[in-house]
Amino acid sequence: AGAAGAFLGLGEHSSRAPSVRSLAESGHHLAEPRAMEMYNGHGALLGHHAGGFDDIDLPSAVKYLIASDPNLQVLGAAYLQHKCYSDSGAKKQARSLQAMPKLVKLFNSPNQEVQRHATGAMRNLIYDNAENKLALVEENGIYELMRTLREPDDELRKNVTGILWNLSSSDNLKDRLARDTLEQLTDLVLVPLSGLGGSGVIQQNPSEAEIFYNSTGFLRNLSSASQQTRQKMRECHGLVDSMIHYVNSSLEVGKSEDKSVENAVCVLRNLSYRLYDEMPPSSLQRLEGHRRNAGGTVTGELVGCFSPQSKKAREHYLNADIVTFTEVSKDPKGMEWLWNPQIVGIYNRLLQRCELNKHTTEAASGALQNITAGDRRWAGVLSRLALEQERILNPVLDRVRTADHHQLRSLTGLIRNLSRHARNKDEMSTKVVSHLIEKLPGSAGDKAPPADVVVNIIAVLNNLVVESPMAARDIVYFDGLRKLFFIKKRRDSSDNEKSSRAAASLLGNMWQYAKLHRDFKMKGYRKEDFLSL
């Protein structure tokens, strides 16, 4: 314990990766589904009308919406859908002509063709148009849409879920949408189409696949909103279960690249954001057990009688982990899935099997980063489960080799958390040091990853070095010193300043290993190089 005190910690704030929220925050907010040009069936309708759309204009089309003849209502709505496909001026004009309230009234017309065309027109009217979205909501549109969703008509349900997805890209509507739609959407779409209800197998025709995709896109956008909305989603009966069931079933039948899987994993990632701060206190208490002392740290109890690396300490951890494992439900339900040990295996399988869809693997590593983040005991339990039982390091490092910058953020954030909680730092060092040093820049011409990735990597190395001489030795062996000194000297921006401070802290810790001083000198470095800030 005395020797460990000599290491200059990176400081609590930078010694772990913070939890991450959503793809939205890294520029991956899910775009609205494209507006729909006339779908099959409209052509026949227009053929009956003498000149197609030649003798119609917007004002007369809007008037047709309130005609008593359903054929005229269909014609008016079809013209609006066609005209507003990509014409922003037409969308504005339609709103000023009061098309919005008239279309909303037709959502639940007794005539199915009228319903289809009215929802199709609305889908195009609100696409990429914030004012029209707001107008739809203010006309009691959400309530009418949820009524329409009960109709057993796939064409209609595609339009309704497409409209919901489009609405959800407006941040100012997310909380309201969550309040007014989640329970019904879960009961009507998510549970039956995920395979959770009934047979347990996903059985979707092409239209149902689109309805489910729209709905999970909608959830993905909502889940990147406020804490209040995240809580509502976690608590919504059947929502988390249907996401888990869909992902699990898709993995079983080799469909890990599926776009709805991507959406579902992004939802799970976002709902894992700040999980330990936002979960019910009773659940947290169960996960924390009786091991926390006043300082809030777990290792604090052990220092003084034996070091955290000793055999006795490892046994103490292991026994306490096993006790809680048996306490945590073997049959998780609802939000319990988000922290249940089984979910680590699901994310691990996604990392191993999803070859092409990088958004899915980024979301899986981001979700793992969230549930292993922080000082809570359970973050440590899941980290050790990931390392020791799931053997997750190899699939994660495979991803690191080919990752783009977005993926590197969540992957290195995850490794950073794992390196804090790992029981065997020597073993982890032999696996990760060379791969991570390879990603660091060593000269001005090198293509450097973003600053937060560099800081993550240095934090991992620091977490390992303070307890593992092998980590320090491997940094020297794999040419890490040259790169770390380059990063330490590079202070030309506030981002580089952060990575420079992190590198200085790590180099200071490396100097504590007297046995390596000869190697340092052979490479041309002196004591002052290591200890100067």
Side-chain angles (χ1 to χ4, degrees):
F7 291 106
L8 317 162
L10 260 176
E12 192 41 49
H13 293 298
S14 55
S15 67
R16 71 168 194 269
S19 57
V20 285
R21 184 185 304 186
S22 73
L23 298 177
E25 296 203 335
S26 53
H28 277 303
H29 193 282
L30 207 52
E32 298 175 43
R34 184 75 190 120
M36 301 270 291
E37 189 47 290
M38 315 303 283
Y39 64 74
N40 298 338
H42 287 199
L45 162 93
L46 301 178
H48 293 308
H49 190 264
F53 284 139
D54 292 347
D55 52 353
I56 284 193
D57 58 12
L58 262 176
S60 52
V62 173
K63 276 193 189 129
Y64 285 163
L65 299 178
I66 51 172
S68 55
D69 180 354
N71 290 322
L72 286 177
Q73 292 176 341
V74 166
L75 186 62
Y79 180 79
L80 279 167
Q81 180 175 354
H82 167 73
K83 193 71 181 156
C84 296
Y85 175 59
S86 55
D87 183 342
S88 56
K91 293 177 191 184
K92 189 175 179 181
Q93 189 188 352
R95 185 175 73 253
S96 68
L97 290 166
Q98 297 299 304
M100 308 297 284
K102 295 179 176 68
L103 284 170
V104 169
K105 282 195 176 77
L106 297 180
F107 286 176
N108 288 291
S109 157
N111 183 305
Q112 191 179 67
E113 280 301 305
V114 172
Q115 287 182 290
R116 287 180 172 186
H117 288 79
T119 50
M122 185 63 80
R123 190 168 173 177
N124 286 3
L125 269 163
I126 66 167
Y127 176 75
D128 204 21
N129 189 303
E131 293 86 356
N132 284 0
K133 286 175 187 165
L134 192 57
L136 168 59
V137 171
E138 286 173 348
E139 293 298 339
N140 204 26
I142 299 176
Y143 173 77
E144 294 298 333
L145 284 168
M146 299 319 288
R147 274 183 65 202
T148 314
L149 194 60
R150 295 183 177 278
E151 297 281 338
D153 176 58
D154 283 351
E155 239 11 278
L156 204 48
R157 285 154 65 89
K158 276 197 282 194
N159 280 343
V160 170
T161 52
I163 289 169
L164 289 174
W165 186 358
N166 283 349
L167 288 171
S168 70
S169 65
S170 288
D171 287 338
N172 59 327
L173 298 177
K174 287 179 181 177
D175 289 348
R176 180 161 180 184
L177 284 164
R179 187 190 71 204
D180 294 346
T181 67
L182 283 178
E183 288 173 11
Q184 293 175 78
L185 187 73
T186 302
D187 292 344
L188 295 170
V189 176
L190 302 177
V191 168
L193 295 189
S194 67
L196 187 64
S199 66
V201 180
I202 302 169
Q203 294 171 314
Q204 298 178 349
N205 64 37
S207 288
E208 288 171 332
E210 187 180 329
I211 292 162
F212 191 75
Y213 176 55
N214 289 346
S215 301
T216 53
F218 170 72
L219 292 184
R220 178 174 171 178
N221 281 347
L222 287 195
S223 65
S224 67
S226 63
Q227 174 178 344
Q228 179 189 350
T229 291
R230 282 196 301 280
Q231 290 285 47
K232 200 157 194 59
M233 293 179 75
R234 290 181 191 126
E235 290 163 9
C236 180
H237 181 72
L239 190 153
V240 173
D241 305 78
S242 56
M243 295 298 97
I244 295 280
H245 191 274
Y246 187 81
V247 173
N248 238 337
S249 302
S250 299
L251 279 165
E252 280 168 20
V253 295
K255 288 192 170 174
S256 58
E257 310 290 351
D258 177 85
K259 294 294 283 181
S260 291
V261 168
E262 176 192 324
N263 283 345
V265 181
C266 288
V267 169
L268 295 170
R269 172 195 189 159
N270 293 348
L271 296 186
S272 304
Y273 176 66
R274 304 195 68 232
L275 183 59
Y276 301 118
D277 295 330
E278 295 176 5
M279 66 163 51
S282 57
S283 301
L284 182 63
Q285 204 172 355
R286 196 156 124 227
L287 298 182
E288 290 299 285
H290 305 290
R291 302 202 296 138
R292 292 178 73 77
N293 64 5
T297 59
V298 175
T299 52
E301 301 168 20
L302 304 170
V303 172
C305 48
F306 39 76
S307 85
Q309 286 286 80
S310 76
K311 187 176 178 216
K312 199 160 183 184
R314 285 201 296 274
E315 281 172 8
H316 176 98
Y317 283 138
L318 194 58
N319 293 337
D321 288 356
I322 289 166
V323 169
T324 310
F325 254 78
T326 54
E327 288 172 21
V328 173
S329 164
K330 287 191 178 63
D331 181 23
K333 288 188 173 59
M335 75 169 91
E336 292 170 356
W337 268 110
L338 297 171
W339 61 80
N340 190 274
Q342 293 176 58
I343 204 167
V344 178
I346 295 173
Y347 295 142
N348 190 14
R349 295 210 305 283
L350 285 164
L351 286 175
Q352 291 184 50
R353 296 183 195 173
C354 190
E355 295 293 332
L356 305 172
N357 191 332
K358 64 181 186 180
H359 298 311
T360 301
T361 52
E362 183 190 354
S365 56
L368 283 163
Q369 182 185 349
N370 282 340
I371 60 175
T372 56
D375 301 318
R376 302 284 188 190
R377 172 193 174 200
W378 200 245
V381 169
L382 293 182
S383 295
R384 292 186 286 276
L385 172 83
L387 285 167
E388 295 166 20
Q389 281 174 250
E390 288 293 332
R391 309 248 173 234
I392 208 160
L393 263 187
N394 287 341
V396 168
L397 291 170
D398 282 345
R399 295 285 165 193
V400 166
R401 285 189 198 99
T402 57
D404 63 23
H405 289 170
H406 284 305
Q407 293 168 296
L408 272 179
R409 279 192 177 92
S410 55
L411 289 165
T412 56
L414 169 60
I415 299 169
R416 182 174 176 174
N417 293 340
L418 297 176
S419 69
R420 291 181 73 233
H421 297 296
R423 267 190 271 257
N424 190 332
K425 301 280 202 281
D426 285 345
E427 185 187 358
M428 186 165 181
S429 300
T430 57
K431 287 182 177 171
V432 306
V433 170
S434 60
H435 292 293
L436 294 183
I437 284 173
E438 197 180 310
K439 293 289 173 186
L440 292 176
S443 66
D446 286 358
K447 193 178 173 189
D452 49 355
V453 172
V454 172
V455 169
N456 276 346
I457 289 173
I458 295 173
V460 173
L461 298 175
N462 200 57
N463 287 338
L464 297 173
V465 160
V466 295
E467 287 184 36
S468 167
M470 288 172 80
R473 188 201 65 192
D474 282 355
I475 288 171
V476 177
Y477 182 80
F478 290 107
D479 196 28
L481 289 179
R482 178 180 65 83
K483 292 186 168 189
L484 288 169
F485 279 113
F486 168 72
I487 293 165
K488 180 180 171 180
K489 287 175 186 146
R490 194 181 53 161
R491 294 182 165 171
D492 51 355
S493 69
S494 62
D495 277 346
N496 287 343
E497 184 72 41
K498 281 180 202 157
S499 42
S500 167
R501 283 200 304 272
S505 178
L506 171 56
L507 288 164
N509 285 338
M510 286 188 66
W511 183 257
Q512 308 302 321
Y513 288 107
K515 286 182 178 173
L516 292 175
H517 288 182
R518 221 172 94 203
D519 296 305
F520 298 160
K521 282 172 187 152
M522 281 172 67
K523 287 188 176 282
Y525 299 111
R526 299 161 308 158
K527 179 178 181 179
E528 304 77 67
D529 298 324
F530 283 87
L531 300 182
S532 65
L533 293 170

